[in-house]
Amino acid sequence: MTNQELTRLVRASKESLSHLAHELKTPLTSIIGYADLFLRQQRQQPELKDTYTNLESIERVLKSGRLLVQLINDTLEISRYGAGQMKLQSTQIDVRSLINSVREMIEPLVAAKELSLVVECDRAPNEVIIDPLRFQQILTNLLSNAIRYTESGSIHLHCWRISQQQWAISVTDTGIGISPDVQTQIFNPYFRELTAPKVQSSDGTGLGLAIVSQLVQLMHGEIQVDSQLGKGSTFTVILPINSEN
């Protein structure tokens, strides 16, 4: 009876969390929209003569609101996975085309930190059967994470075919690296290792790698990490050519 009650409480807690997240998204989206509109109006109409301090405050509100929405979305992803509600919509895709679209989305973040992005897909499979949106999510999270913890140098994306059944994609950075004693924890939800003052104010939620790990498992793949403090990290995702199997 005790086990049944605990199971009921856990289920109720997950349902409450999901409901709360959905309820929060609507007002947060509205706040962000109005803050963004006001900020653009201030910049486009200099005659309003708003102070730099006020504009800076608006930017902080906007940044915080976006972070909250990201946190809610990531929490919903974790909740859906834990409830077994995350489903794949696999289809045949052109690997290089999908990688190129992700690269185009991520390039402004790379340019903003004056990093270089190197993409090597010469040995990538032409086509695979996979959920394109989920794969895009995996790749975007890995690249965003690499950019967040890299202050100078480069981000290297490499894709290749391992065999007739498997292919792999890796993201290598020249960032702060990950200490060996926490490498087994980085895929846990909300875990963040802050090892350098420059990333103390990082806007990450601590859920990106957890979501990547769960999606990779859902696709019957595996993820590996190779990292050294002060030298950078490499995350390698190995996936089946046909993720429906």
Side-chain angles (χ1 to χ4, degrees):
M1 289 180 65
T2 301
N3 288 338
Q4 289 176 350
E5 180 63 14
L6 286 173
T7 301
R8 187 191 67 78
L9 289 173
V10 169
R11 187 181 298 114
S13 177
K14 288 181 178 179
E15 290 174 353
S16 296
L17 176 62
S18 179
H19 180 72
L20 175 62
H22 281 294
E23 290 295 317
L24 284 172
K25 284 185 72 174
T26 300
L28 276 173
T29 301
S30 177
I31 289 169
I32 292 170
Y34 280 114
D36 187 44
L37 176 63
F38 183 68
L39 186 60
R40 283 187 282 109
Q41 288 176 337
Q42 295 293 309
R43 287 172 171 167
Q44 292 170 4
Q45 301 178 44
E47 66 271 14
L48 295 178
K49 300 184 183 301
D50 208 339
T51 65
Y52 174 79
T53 302
N54 287 343
L55 292 177
E56 194 175 45
S57 297
I58 296 170
E59 287 180 334
R60 287 198 188 103
V61 170
L62 194 58
K63 182 178 180 180
S64 298
R66 284 175 174 157
L67 178 58
L68 283 170
V69 170
Q70 180 186 346
L71 179 58
I72 289 170
N73 287 332
D74 288 349
T75 302
L76 284 172
E77 289 284 275
I78 295 290
S79 178
R80 278 194 288 266
Y81 181 85
Q85 297 174 348
M86 190 181 288
K87 305 296 181 183
L88 296 178
Q89 301 294 327
S90 298
T91 186
Q92 188 167 296
I93 66 162
D94 182 315
V95 174
R96 293 178 179 85
S97 177
L98 190 57
I99 290 175
N100 188 56
S101 67
V102 173
R103 177 176 62 180
E104 290 175 352
M105 287 190 297
I106 218 76
E107 276 178 341
L109 299 179
V110 176
K113 296 191 72 172
E114 299 182 345
L115 303 172
S116 63
L117 177 62
V118 181
V119 179
E120 292 185 11
C121 293
D122 295 341
R123 295 166 50 211
N126 292 326
E127 293 181 332
V128 298
I129 297 177
I130 200 170
D131 185 322
L133 292 178
R134 294 305 188 182
F135 173 69
Q136 190 176 57
Q137 191 175 6
I138 289 172
L139 192 52
T140 301
N141 280 1
L142 288 178
L143 286 169
S144 298
N145 202 64
I147 294 167
R148 183 176 295 118
Y149 293 104
T150 302
E151 292 302 315
S152 63
S154 63
I155 310 294
H156 191 117
L157 191 157
H158 183 206
C159 182
W160 70 101
R161 187 177 194 132
I162 299 175
S163 66
Q164 292 298 317
Q165 291 78 38
Q166 290 183 313
W167 64 295
I169 190 161
S170 66
V171 174
T172 301
D173 63 62
T174 55
I176 61 174
I178 306 165
S179 57
D181 56 327
V182 301
Q183 288 184 21
T184 58
Q185 303 177 57
I186 57 175
F187 298 110
N188 295 334
Y190 304 105
F191 179 83
R192 296 174 66 201
E193 184 195 23
L194 299 180
T195 55
K198 290 183 179 180
V199 295
Q200 290 286 334
S201 59
S202 168
D203 59 355
T205 63
L207 288 171
L209 288 179
I211 291 172
V212 167
S213 177
Q214 292 176 350
L215 288 175
V216 170
Q217 290 178 40
L218 200 61
M219 294 176 178
H220 309 294
E222 63 176 299
I223 185 167
Q224 303 168 351
V225 58
D226 181 21
S227 182
Q228 287 184 284
L229 278 176
K231 295 186 177 181
S233 306
T234 296
F235 287 86
T236 302
V237 174
I238 299 172
L239 296 168
I241 295 292
N242 184 351
S243 65
E244 286 184 323
N245 296 333

